[in-house]
Amino acid sequence: MVMLTDSPHLLAFSRHFCTDASDNCGNSEEIEFSDFCSTVLYECLADEKPELINTFIELYHSVRNLPRGENGPLLARNINILTTFYGRHNMQPHKELVPLPFLQSINDRVEAILDHQSKAALGQYLKDHVIPSASFACFLCYYEIPGLYVLDELFPKGNPSFPLPVLALRNKGKVSTKALLKLSSATTKA
C-alpha cells in the first residue's frame, strides 16, 4: 500500500476530490461527491485496485445524470445489465470488481430517480404509444419494458388492463419478470 500512496496520480486525486468540501462552503452536491471520492479512494487502496477509481466515478456520474443525459436510455440499460449480472452470479467477495453494496446502492438510487415516473405515464404509454420524455425512455430501458410491437401482443387494443398472472401467461418469455411487475402495476385498477 505504501507504493500506491506514493503515486502522484492518486495523491492529486486525493488533493483535488477528497478534500472536505464543507470547509470551503461547498454545496450539498460538492460535499456528497467529495465524500464519495474519499470512500472510493479508501476502498480501492484497501483492496489494491486503484485502477477502479475511474469506474466508480463513471458510475456515480452516470446515475446522477441518468434522466437528463443524452445517453440516458443506454446508461439505464447498462446499469440494469451490470446489477443483474452481479445479482445472478453471486460473485465471491474476492472476485468482485465492483462491490455488491455499491451496486445495490446504485440500483436503489436509479429506482428512486426513475420511479417518479408514475403509473399514469406507463398507462398512457400503453394506451397512446407515445414516449413523453427522455426520462421516461430511461424508465422503459431500465425496467426492460419491451417495444410496442411486443406490448401489442400482450395487451389487445382497447384493453390494457390485466392482472399479473394473466400477463405472465400471455407473455410466453418475451418480457422480463421485472417488466411484467411494472406493467401489471400500471395496468391493474387501484
Side-chain angles (χ1 to χ4, degrees), residues 13-14 16-17 35 49 53 93 99 103 117 123 126 134 144-145 149 153 155 173 180:
F13 177 83
S14 174
H16 292 289
F17 296 110
D35 291 345
K49 297 178 183 177
I53 292 173
L103 285 174
Q117 299 292 339
L126 293 171
E144 303 173 22
I145 308 293
Y149 62 93
E153 291 178 21
F155 302 105
L180 282 175

Side-chain angles (χ1 to χ4, degrees), residues 27-33 36 56-69 75 79 106 109-110 113:
N27 64 32
S28 62
E29 287 181 10
E30 290 172 351
I31 293 169
E32 178 186 345
F33 184 65
F36 174 79
F56 282 106
I57 301 299
E58 289 286 331
L59 283 169
Y60 176 88
H61 286 298
S62 294
V63 170
R64 194 162 167 265
N65 297 321
L66 184 63
R68 57 185 183 263
L75 291 172
I79 290 169
I106 286 176
R109 190 161 193 172
V110 168
I113 290 169

Side-chain angles (χ1 to χ4, degrees), residues 10 31 33 54 75 83 96 116 124 131 142 147 154 156 181 188:
L10 294 176
I31 293 169
F33 184 65
N54 191 44
L75 291 172
T83 56
E96 295 174 348
H116 80 277
Q124 197 67 28
I131 297 174
Y142 183 77
L154 280 175
L181 290 170
T188 54

Side-chain angles (χ1 to χ4, degrees), residues 119-120 123 126-127 155-156 158-165 167 181-190:
K119 289 168 90 174
L126 293 171
K127 183 177 155 204
F155 302 105
N159 189 11
S161 180
F162 286 106
L164 183 60
L167 283 177
L181 290 170
K182 282 293 174 186
L183 288 167
S184 176
S185 70
T187 60
T188 54
K189 297 191 184 332

Side-chain angles (χ1 to χ4, degrees), residues 65-127:
N65 297 321
L66 184 63
R68 57 185 183 263
E70 65 183 46
N71 295 324
L74 179 62
L75 291 172
R77 186 69 182 127
N78 285 339
I79 290 169
N80 181 329
I81 289 169
L82 182 66
T83 56
T84 301
F85 174 80
Y86 273 95
R88 284 191 182 149
H89 289 87
N90 294 323
M91 297 292 200
Q92 300 299 318
H94 63 281
K95 294 184 180 180
E96 295 174 348
L97 290 177
V98 181
L100 290 176
F102 179 71
L103 285 174
Q104 186 58 48
S105 71
I106 286 176
N107 196 43
D108 294 346
R109 190 161 193 172
V110 168
E111 288 181 2
I113 290 169
L114 295 179
D115 278 349
H116 80 277
Q117 299 292 339
S118 68
K119 289 168 90 174
L122 184 54
Q124 197 67 28
Y125 170 71
L126 293 171
K127 183 177 155 204

